Amino acid sequence: MATNSKMFSFFLFIFMTFLCTKVIAQCEDETNNPCNNKSKALPLKIIGIAAILITSIIGVCLPLITRSIPALSPDRSLFVIVKAFASGIILATGFMHVLPDSFDMLRSSCLADNLWHKFPFTGFVAMLSAIFTLMVDSMATSMYTSKNNAIEAEGGEVVTRDQEMAVASGGAMHFHGHNHGHQKGAIGQQLLRYRVVAMVLELGIVVHSIVIGLGVGASNDVCTIKPLVAALCFHQMFEGMGLGGCILQAQYKTLKKAAMVFFFSITTPFGIALGIALSKTYKENSPSSLITVGLLNASSAGLLIYMALVDLLAADFMGAKLQGSIKLQIKSYIAVLFGAGGMSLMAKWA
């Protein structure tokens, strides 16, 4: 009986070794394919850095530049429709690009079965990320509100100046009444929300942009780099439009606007450059890379999905402007579907 047990253990060991060898071979096959060519891939990556940088700047600056056009001012219907389109793009980025990538990475055959394949870590981390984003969103709003109230109690000069800026360029021009102090308080509160939303959204976009760039920079697959760079150019442009609209509504000073534009525009090119620098040590299908990038993607997905649904779409569709017009709601829903649909289509290439 003991001999049979030993024989069984021996064959089991041989079988498991064969399986492990097969999995390792598959992981190596994924990185060693005929399209891998480092010398040809490098010029494509450099072109990609320049192209993505330019399209990112155009996308995020477009809402800021067109603010001088009356039809595209934040209190007009066209701005609401364009923002709904951009919000649909951000929502699809979370659901159709970042979240599936995380599932693929954390369920890869290159990872051990005993942990990563037996628990849905992607969904779990995305859920925690959404809850954490809610905490940051809520606490940041509370802190800004307390600070705003303290300044207002002392004299209110700073608050009044910010609020007048919001009235001059925002959607509060339709408020008229006798209680001007109450109106300014309401405008100030909305302005604070816009600022919190812009900062948290930028954080989520920056994280996943670096991760995307890192993957492109580390890859030497010339067959995928060309379509990937083209898709990322469109991706960054339209995502930048969504962020630019939020920055416009936040009414930041010029220096802060410039800083937010700079960080959004530079993150994906920086990620690509970082990937190029780490290409010798960073391997896409190594367990450590799959786990790290997979978890980062999951956290970015949770943040982007929360921001798109709660702070962008729900806030606008439940707001007074859209609630007051069914026709504008229908147009905005169509814009959301077009934005989400277009970005979903791009998931085929990126």
Side-chain angles (χ1 to χ4, degrees), residues 29-57:
D29 287 341
E30 288 176 8
T31 53
N32 298 316
N33 63 68
C35 290
N36 272 3
N37 190 319
K38 190 173 182 179
S39 59
K40 289 183 179 179
L42 185 59
L44 293 176
K45 294 175 192 177
I46 294 171
I47 293 170
I49 288 174
I52 292 171
L53 178 63
I54 292 168
T55 52
S56 297
I57 292 172

Side-chain angles (χ1 to χ4, degrees), residues 134-175:
L134 172 62
M135 290 171 57
V136 172
D137 201 7
S138 174
M139 290 179 180
T141 303
S142 297
M143 289 170 62
Y144 273 98
T145 302
S146 298
K147 185 178 179 181
N148 180 60
N149 291 340
I151 295 172
E152 192 173 14
E154 289 176 4
E157 291 183 6
V158 176
V159 176
T160 303
R161 192 179 300 117
D162 283 346
Q163 290 166 354
E164 285 175 353
M165 287 171 62
V167 172
S169 59
M173 292 296 289
H174 61 276
F175 286 111

